[in-house]
Amino acid sequence: MNGVTIGQAAAFVGVTVKTVRHYHKLGLVREPERDGSGYRRYGSAELLRLVQARTLAAAGVPLAEIGSLLDADPALFAAALADVERQLTDRIEELIARRDTLHRLADGDRALLPDRAVVLLERMSGLGFPAEEVAATREGWVLARALVPEGFDDFLTHVEHALDDPRFVALSKRAIEATAWEPDDPRLAELATAIADHFLANPAHLRIVTGLQARTDAAARYHLIAHHGEEQGSAAARGVALVEARLRAAGVHIPRPDGR
């Protein structure tokens, strides 16, 4: 009658009988021999091993590594624990990042865009840009950040400066109004010339157009961003095409759909 049953051992250690049997299966704890009554009796040595295994498992040590840890000498045990601690730290940082993303999801903008971009979108609303245009700009920026991440921060800087210019803001609002015009409206050519001339006279503002040109697949990425949300043959599409043509004529590199 020396020792306790598996049920008692599990209760004393604070695990389930199923867990004890799993430890046996993995070789973490030796399974005692049966006594004369057919019961397996757990003595102090087995209970100590169970406590050690449970403690390491609760600390986040993978079960596959617990056996070697329990059998290691003090120096190896300390080194192995340090390695486990590093792994846990990495997991904690990853979980914190995921938690922060969940918090940002409460604000759809901040889940996909940096705070600088969200502030600029709010600023556009304050400057009187229509809500639909702000929403379209948000979508375009999410796409731009994904396709050309290396240039997005500088792009935001150029937008920040441009929004300080009343002329740029006025032309942008006029371009929004023009999306309701007919594609053959002669005012489109006049507006496109005015916008292109403004960009040419303000190189920093021109970077809004040229700054999101990726190193690879430049033409494809540029057109996905610059022409996002356009309907083929619309006034908006024709207006953008006219501005691009005017800039190309002035020597500015704007990728063409054919990649040239």
Side-chain angles (χ1 to χ4, degrees), residues 52 149 206:
Q52 292 170 328
L206 180 60

Side-chain angles (χ1 to χ4, degrees), residues 159 162-163 165-173 198-199 205 208:
V159 174
L163 290 178
D165 188 327
R167 174 67 174 163
F168 175 85
V169 172
L171 285 171
S172 298
K173 290 181 178 179
H198 177 82
F199 281 135
H205 296 183
I208 295 174

Side-chain angles (χ1 to χ4, degrees), residues 110-147:
R110 286 184 165 83
L112 298 171
L113 291 170
D115 290 341
R116 285 183 67 197
V118 176
V119 169
L120 280 174
L121 291 171
E122 294 170 349
R123 187 176 171 193
M124 287 178 64
S125 296
L127 287 170
F129 284 85
E132 313 85 66
E133 178 62 22
V134 175
T137 298
R138 178 190 302 114
E139 291 182 354
W141 288 1
V142 169
L143 190 61
R145 187 190 187 201
L147 293 178

Side-chain angles (χ1 to χ4, degrees), residues 82-101:
D83 184 58
V84 171
E85 182 180 2
R86 283 192 294 271
Q87 295 177 34
L88 288 174
T89 299
D90 291 341
R91 287 174 58 191
I92 290 170
E93 291 175 354
E94 179 185 351
L95 289 172
I96 289 174
R98 290 184 182 183
R99 183 198 62 190
D100 291 344
T101 298

Side-chain angles (χ1 to χ4, degrees), residues 20 57 112 119 140 156 224 248 251:
V20 175
L112 298 171
V119 169
L156 292 180
L224 285 169
R248 289 192 189 101

Side-chain angles (χ1 to χ4, degrees), residues 32-248:
E33 297 294 331
R34 297 183 185 275
D35 63 13
S37 302
Y39 290 101
R40 297 188 186 278
R41 296 287 174 176
Y42 291 75
S44 58
E46 288 81 20
L47 288 176
L48 175 60
R49 185 87 171 185
L50 279 173
V51 170
Q52 292 170 328
R54 180 211 64 192
T55 303
L56 289 171
V61 178
L63 291 179
E65 300 176 17
I66 288 177
S68 58
L69 275 177
L70 292 177
D71 296 329
D73 60 46
L76 288 176
F77 185 81
L81 282 187
D83 184 58
V84 171
E85 182 180 2
R86 283 192 294 271
Q87 295 177 34
L88 288 174
T89 299
D90 291 341
R91 287 174 58 191
I92 290 170
E93 291 175 354
E94 179 185 351
L95 289 172
I96 289 174
R98 290 184 182 183
R99 183 198 62 190
D100 291 344
T101 298
L102 287 175
H103 288 170
R104 291 171 73 89
L105 282 172
D107 183 333
D109 291 345
R110 286 184 165 83
L112 298 171
L113 291 170
D115 290 341
R116 285 183 67 197
V118 176
V119 169
L120 280 174
L121 291 171
E122 294 170 349
R123 187 176 171 193
M124 287 178 64
S125 296
L127 287 170
F129 284 85
E132 313 85 66
E133 178 62 22
V134 175
T137 298
R138 178 190 302 114
E139 291 182 354
W141 288 1
V142 169
L143 190 61
R145 187 190 187 201
L147 293 178
V148 194
E150 67 276 7
F152 190 67
D153 199 52
D154 287 341
F155 168 79
L156 292 180
T157 298
H158 300 312
V159 174
E160 286 171 347
H161 294 159
L163 290 178
D164 288 332
D165 188 327
R167 174 67 174 163
F168 175 85
V169 172
L171 285 171
S172 298
K173 290 181 178 179
R174 183 68 170 159
I176 296 168
E177 295 173 4
T179 60
W181 299 349
E182 292 299 322
D184 58 354
D185 192 313
R187 292 176 295 173
L188 275 175
E190 297 174 6
L191 178 58
T193 297
I195 292 173
D197 287 347
H198 177 82
F199 281 135
L200 293 171
N202 297 272
H205 296 183
L206 180 60
R207 291 288 295 165
I208 295 174
V209 179
T210 63
L212 289 176
Q213 296 184 20
R215 300 183 183 91
T216 61
D217 301 316
R221 295 181 196 236
Y222 169 80
H223 281 276
L224 285 169
I225 296 168
H227 298 270
H228 169 69
E230 289 180 1
E231 293 183 14
Q232 189 173 4
S234 66
R238 181 165 182 261
V240 172
L242 288 170
V243 172
E244 291 177 339
R246 175 77 174 82
L247 293 176
R248 289 192 189 101

